[in-house]
Amino acid sequence: MSGIALPAPRPRAWLVDVPVLAVAVVWGASYLAAKGVTTQSTVLAVLVLRFGIVLPALVAAGRRALRALSPAQWRGAGLLGLILSGIFLLETYGVVHTSATNAGLIISLTMIFTPLAEAAVTRTRPSRAFLGAAATSVLGVVLLTQGGGFTTPSAGDLLMLLAALARTVHVLAMSRIKAVQGADALPLTTVQLGSAVVVFALLCAVPGTGAAPWDAAAAFRPADWAGLLFLSVFCTLFAFFVQMWAVRRTSPSRVSLLLGTEPLWAAAAGIALGGERLGVMGVLGAVLVLAGTGWGRRAGS
């Protein structure tokens, strides 16, 4: 820590928790939005559009801050962007090749992976209370997602498992890469998303990887554009800006536990907007997710 200015006093826990929980809400709603916009042949095209839409505004708003970034900060943010691109590739292709039930359950394992990985990196043991809270939340997700039944594991399930691991790496990297810790969240987010767009665009240029972004956009209806803008502005720009801001003010484990309520909000969006129903087991699962998250917040304070 030598040579680094002392951080400002941390805000009250709930002031950090509320924006992170809002990210979990919009990410939960993103499943319905993505299903309405993306097909197997347009995954890469939608990812290019989703990230590319917000980049001009970010660059315009943060051009001075971008120029102020040091080479080390550019490299650190670029590395985070590569991890981010991997997360979205794994998640998007994973959802295409597995059921939404399996996807929601497997991605929630980030709640377990992050405290275990953080403990391994820092050589400390997570508290029994935190592990109990995480286990309670995962059990809740299992019950919550059983409405559609757990299908035989597939290639998509493996992709979602890798996505959960990649999410863990991303959260830990944001808190461990010293070069990015002293920079503003806006330019760091801009470099991350720009790096991801480059990765997606390069993959789009490979023959046989699906529709080009302009072809996919030409076929969009107004409802598709609305869904894409929701994914771009709220599920991408807002979500990752908040995540980078919050991880410096609380622990990575706490951030991941709050983001782990995403399947609960996905179920809520499905019920309210998609006409889905929760059975008795699903309601019990929702209660356990909320209880486990609240318990983990207290244990992680």
Side-chain angles (χ1 to χ4, degrees):
M1 294 179 62
S2 108
I4 299 177
L6 292 175
R10 290 187 176 187
R12 292 182 179 180
W14 69 269
L15 291 176
V16 178
D17 290 348
V18 169
V20 176
L21 193 60
V23 170
V25 173
V26 297
W27 274 358
S30 71
Y31 287 100
L32 277 180
K35 284 183 177 295
V37 174
T38 311
T39 65
Q40 185 170 347
S41 64
T42 61
V43 169
L44 289 172
V46 168
L47 286 174
V48 170
L49 293 170
R50 172 178 176 174
F51 283 72
I53 285 174
V54 298
L55 270 182
L58 284 174
V59 172
R63 58 186 182 277
R64 291 184 180 178
L66 283 170
R67 288 196 295 266
L69 289 179
S70 68
Q73 289 170 334
W74 275 92
R75 290 192 297 269
L79 175 60
L80 291 174
L82 293 178
I83 300 172
L84 179 65
S85 66
I87 293 171
F88 274 90
L89 286 169
L90 291 167
E91 283 186 358
T92 308
Y93 278 112
V95 168
V96 169
H97 292 95
T98 190
S99 66
T101 297
N102 286 28
L105 173 58
I106 295 170
I107 201 66
S108 71
L109 292 177
T110 304
M111 290 186 288
I112 293 293
F113 293 157
T114 299
L116 293 178
E118 186 180 16
V121 170
T122 60
R123 297 183 180 181
T124 59
R125 291 187 62 181
S127 69
R128 292 182 179 180
F130 192 93
L131 289 177
T136 300
S137 295
V138 170
L139 175 60
V141 172
V142 172
L143 297 177
L144 182 65
T145 57
Q146 283 306 291
F150 192 80
T151 62
T152 303
S154 64
D157 297 329
L158 177 59
L159 291 174
M160 294 306 301
L161 180 62
L162 293 175
L165 289 170
R167 280 195 183 191
T168 297
V169 172
H170 190 253
V171 173
L172 289 178
M174 283 191 293
S175 68
R176 303 289 296 182
I177 298 177
K178 293 182 179 180
V180 303
Q181 292 176 2
D184 292 337
L186 177 59
L188 294 181
T189 301
T190 303
V191 176
Q192 276 198 88
L193 298 186
S195 300
V197 168
V198 170
V199 172
F200 302 143
L202 290 174
L203 291 176
C204 271
V206 177
T209 55
W214 47 86
D215 292 331
F220 277 178
R221 298 166 298 177
D224 297 322
W225 280 109
L228 182 66
L229 289 174
F230 173 76
L231 290 171
S232 183
V233 175
F234 291 98
C235 303
T236 302
L237 177 60
F238 168 75
F240 287 97
F241 183 86
V242 167
Q243 193 176 2
M244 290 202 68
W245 170 82
V247 80
R248 298 188 221 172
R249 292 163 174 81
T250 186
S251 70
S253 297
R254 190 176 177 116
V255 170
S256 282
L257 191 71
L258 290 166
L259 294 180
T261 63
E262 176 185 340
L264 175 63
W265 306 114
I271 293 170
L273 303 175
E276 300 176 1
R277 291 188 177 185
L278 278 182
V280 174
M281 297 297 285
V283 172
L284 177 60
V287 172
L288 287 177
V289 170
L290 291 175
T293 303
W295 182 15
R297 286 182 59 208
R298 292 190 297 272
S301 298

